[in-house]
Amino acid sequence: MSQKLKKVCIVGSGNWGSAIAKIVGSNAKKLPHFDDKVTMYVYEEMINGKKLTEIINETHENVKYLPGHKLPPNVVAVPDVVEAAKEADILIFVVPHQFIRTLCSTLLGKIKPTAIALSLIKGFDRAEGGGIDLISHIITRHLRIPCSVLMGANLAGEVADENFCETTIGCRDTKQGPLLRDIIQTDYFRVVVVDDEDTVEICGALKNIVACGAGFVDGLGLGDNTKAAVIRLGLMEMIKFVDVFYPGGKLSTFFESCGVADLITTCYGGRNRKVSEAFVKTGKSIKVLEDEMLNGQKLQGPFTAEEVNYMLKNKGMEEKFPLFTAIHKICTGQKPVAEFIDCIRHHPEHMDNSYDRPKCKL
């Protein structure tokens, strides 16, 4: 990239996108190598008869997805993703992962060829041949630009409240890493950059599946000891997943914020846990609860569990990942939630000392 001021576009404006916009807008204003203006792509909606983009640009508040928090005035909401992204040197993607292919198709050929991307998207997509695709790989392949990832124990509301937290950027390029860290890091939002991109991203996706299991435990009233077992077994399956399908990952990455820290915070405070608890207590479907509880936002855990199961089933490996498999089957009504405790009790970890433990390198 040239030495001109770097322009940033945030592609997405939900609660997490808006929380990041607060950070990025403030940093862009302060840092001499960034352009002051930060564009934010906002899917246009009508709020009490007025366009959401107009409300954001006039009041500097995303009243639907992050109410009560002021965005910097230099963050400009734009309803057209091409218009928002066309001049950007850094594209920060933070949209539900279901929409990434459509957005990439829309942006192809309409962005700077020298741009770089940073994905904050937690999830997978299906690939041909019965596998899964990492979101960063989709962005790189479709837009023909490098894409790093950011994942961590970062509940959007707490980040917006400026409570201290950590996050992890996975970036292989030693020149891009510091640039991405600069635009994201603050005194309360501390960034560690590692080169293990795929593991960082996989942690961010799989932890949402485990959080659904934690929600089932809460809904069943089984207590914190049982939830701790779900978290531990979930972490074991996360590590094994990387070891089996993305060999070369580093065990140390699981001890960054993107790994065990994000897993813990999501299993105690995230939306996947909350909706899954309500799923048990109300008997309503995940879709109905999503509509009732998430104010128009999408739930990632059940969708990610479905995509993971799609691959595991095609590869005949459902039994190798019994926790992920049980959570998917419960979310889709194939297994009653009351049987979840049996899945935990009879997990191979408890039944066979020769259980194939992952061998990720330190």
Side-chain angles (χ1 to χ4, degrees), residues 33 60 99 114 186 260 303:
H33 48 300
H60 308 297
F99 305 131
T114 55
T186 70
V260 66
F303 200 81

Side-chain angles (χ1 to χ4, degrees), residues 56-280:
I56 292 172
N57 290 332
E58 291 172 8
T59 68
H60 308 297
E61 181 181 351
N62 189 334
V63 295
K64 180 166 185 180
Y65 295 114
L66 197 69
H69 294 277
K70 289 293 183 181
L71 301 178
N74 57 314
V75 174
V76 179
V78 181
D80 184 308
V81 69
V82 172
E83 185 65 27
K86 65 182 183 181
E87 295 182 358
D89 298 292
I90 300 174
L91 294 162
I92 299 175
F93 287 90
V94 52
V95 295
H97 72 278
Q98 299 94 310
F99 305 131
I100 194 62
R101 289 183 188 270
T102 301
L103 280 173
C104 285
S105 297
T106 303
L107 290 172
L108 180 60
K110 309 289 179 59
I111 60 173
K112 288 184 176 180
T114 55
I116 63 173
L118 179 67
S119 173
L120 279 61
I121 301 170
K122 296 180 176 181
F124 299 126
D125 203 357
R126 291 189 182 187
E128 294 181 8
I132 58 171
D133 233 346
L134 299 188
I135 302 302
S136 65
H137 292 190
I138 294 172
I139 293 169
T140 293
R141 191 169 62 248
H142 284 254
L143 293 181
R144 300 163 195 159
I145 60 174
C147 183
S148 301
V149 296
L150 180 148
M151 306 284 156
N154 310 142
L155 297 179
E158 295 184 14
V159 174
D161 286 337
E162 301 186 9
N163 294 341
F164 179 84
C165 67
E166 302 172 316
T167 199
T168 310
I169 288 178
C171 178
R172 295 189 185 95
D173 190 308
T174 56
K175 293 182 180 178
Q176 292 176 9
L179 182 70
L180 295 172
R181 181 190 61 213
D182 286 351
I183 196 62
I184 293 290
Q185 183 160 265
T186 70
D187 286 343
Y188 64 87
F189 194 67
R190 306 306 292 176
V191 177
V192 173
V193 180
V194 300
D195 64 2
D196 193 8
E197 279 185 9
D198 288 354
T199 304
V200 171
E201 182 168 3
I202 291 164
C203 283
L206 294 181
K207 59 93 182 185
N208 282 328
I209 303 176
V210 184
C212 291
F216 297 157
V217 169
D218 289 339
L220 292 165
L222 297 175
D224 285 340
N225 291 343
T226 306
K227 188 191 283 192
V230 169
I231 292 171
R232 187 187 76 84
L233 293 171
L235 179 61
M236 291 293 292
E237 291 195 11
M238 288 167 62
I239 296 171
K240 185 174 182 180
F241 189 92
V242 171
D243 191 53
V244 171
F245 298 114
Y246 294 86
K250 299 174 183 177
L251 188 58
S252 58
T253 304
F254 290 90
F255 295 93
E256 299 291 349
S257 182
C258 63
V260 66
D262 195 11
L263 179 62
I264 292 169
T265 196
T266 307
C267 286
Y268 277 91
R271 70 180 74 160
N272 290 281
R273 186 219 62 79
K274 182 179 179 182
V275 172
S276 296
E277 179 182 10
F279 173 78
V280 178

Side-chain angles (χ1 to χ4, degrees), residues 13 38-42 52-54 56-57 75-80 84:
S13 57
V38 173
T39 55
M40 179 172 70
Y41 165 60
V42 176
L52 180 56
T53 53
E54 292 179 358
I56 292 172
N57 290 332
V75 174
V76 179
V78 181
D80 184 308

Side-chain angles (χ1 to χ4, degrees), residues 292-304:
E292 290 181 355
M293 299 175 66
L294 297 186
N295 194 29
Q297 298 188 97
K298 297 297 181 182
L299 196 66
Q300 298 301 310
F303 200 81
T304 303

